[in-house]
Amino acid sequence: MSNADALIVRAVEDKSELLQLMLVVWGSHKMMIDLHTYDVAEIDALGLFTPAGQTAALASWTRRDETAYLCALHSLRPGEGVAVRMLAAVKAAARAAGAKKLKAMLTNDNMPGLTFYQRQGFRLSGLYPEAIDHYRSVIPAIIKTGYRDIPVHDALELEIEL
Ligand SMILES: CC(C)(COP(=O)(O)OP(=O)(O)OC[C@H]1O[C@@H](n2cnc3c(N)ncnc32)[C@H](O)[C@@H]1OP(=O)(O)O)[C@@H](O)C(=O)NCCC(=O)NCCS
């Protein structure tokens, strides 16, 4: 059994840790996917926790018609397989809620995320040049640079059948 197998999945009611994490890594707890904005404070969240109660990963998702949207997925234990476990839990919850596909959004800098989602079978479904620049004009706190200081301008969307 790997470390990730020992973790417990549960719904997150108190979203303060997730919201704080999003403010630090993204600059807002609102996320834009498929031309809609979702507030992570208002939609479902799931977490992976150690038996001692420490957070290993957090995710936020919602469903609109037959599509589920993954609005955030954060690993607090990089490289231990916890993001894979967290994604599996979101996919199961989305499937149980009747969704037929799951969509995610990445900013242009996010090479680890691009690797992660494609390794998990997601396919690219959209490119929105300068979408983040426009979003930043509404929410100025959105990060300006990301992975390896790459300037953040564009949104990439990926999807997978459930
Ligand atoms: C992307 C992220 C979720 C991966 O979390 P993780 O717990 O390290 O991932 P796992 O250990 O479950 O690894 C799963 C796969 O991700 C990929 N991956 C993870 N970190 C990577 C990195 N730094 N560079 C390239 N690929 C990476 C690998 O392909 C890995 O699978 P493999 O080893 O079989 O190839 C994590 O880096 C993160 O929280 N980033 C910040 C938030 C974010 O960008 N989330 C995605 C958009 S919402």
Side-chain angles (χ1 to χ4, degrees), residues 73-75 77-84 106 110 112 115-117 119:
L73 193 158
H74 293 278
S75 169
R77 296 179 169 225
E80 294 182 20
V82 300
V84 171
L106 287 177
N110 196 342
T115 306
F116 170 75
Y117 284 120
R119 286 277 292 166

Side-chain angles (χ1 to χ4, degrees), residues 82-143:
V82 300
V84 171
R85 232 353 258 293
M86 189 77 265
L87 177 64
V90 172
K91 286 170 75 176
R95 220 179 270 125
K100 300 277 187 278
K101 65 182 171 188
L102 178 64
K103 280 195 167 198
M105 190 279 275
L106 287 177
T107 49
N108 60 281
D109 60 295
N110 196 342
M111 298 307 167
L114 199 54
T115 306
F116 170 75
Y117 284 120
Q118 291 189 95
R119 286 277 292 166
Q120 292 302 305
F122 280 72
R123 298 286 304 273
L124 286 164
S125 57
L127 167 63
Y128 299 89
E130 299 183 352
I132 310 302
D133 293 329
H134 293 298
Y135 195 52
R136 195 183 292 108
S137 67
V138 182
I139 304 179
I142 297 296
I143 54 165

